[in-house]
Amino acid sequence: MSDSIQIQVADSHLYPGCPVRIAHLPEPSAAVGLAKAIVEFADGSGAHATCHRRAPDELELAVDGYATQKRHPVDARHWLLFAVDATHNSWRVKRRLP
């Protein structure tokens, strides 16, 4: 799964305001449709996801359900992220999407 985008989350789950790091996000012109992603949470848990760019500074992220390291189940959720730097490495969760 080396072609997946690697997403690192600063907590064991996502929530509005949560910091997210994406080191190698393809340029907006190169991203077509949905991209596969692997989400790595700070507690060591992980989940599969899909993402796509809505705008140069906005990213939709649909995360599959997973369990935290303490075995707390987290349902699948859909999030809107926004870039917080010009390099598009640092992001924050803006809000949960329906």
Side-chain angles (χ1 to χ4, degrees):
M1 228 181 257
S2 60
D3 60 340
S4 296
I5 296 169
Q6 299 294 314
I7 299 173
Q8 297 175 324
V9 178
D11 207 332
S12 62
H13 61 285
L14 292 163
Y15 52 86
C18 180
V20 176
R21 181 157 178 78
I22 307 173
H24 302 290
L25 185 65
E27 291 298 318
S29 59
V32 178
L34 296 176
K36 293 181 182 180
I38 300 294
V39 182
E40 299 171 354
F41 295 93
D43 70 347
S45 59
H48 292 276
T50 56
C51 60
H52 82 276
R53 281 244 172 97
R54 289 174 54 157
D57 292 336
E58 284 188 335
L59 182 72
E60 283 187 41
L61 181 64
V63 181
D64 293 347
Y66 69 99
T68 66
Q69 284 291 24
K70 292 185 178 180
R71 299 190 178 173
H72 179 306
V74 179
D75 293 334
R77 298 227 166 99
H78 195 185
W79 300 95
L80 179 64
L81 282 62
F82 67 96
V84 296
D85 67 4
T87 65
H88 293 102
N89 288 335
S90 295
W91 296 75
R92 284 206 186 270
V93 175
K94 187 172 186 176
R95 69 176 190 270
R96 188 171 162 196
L97 296 171

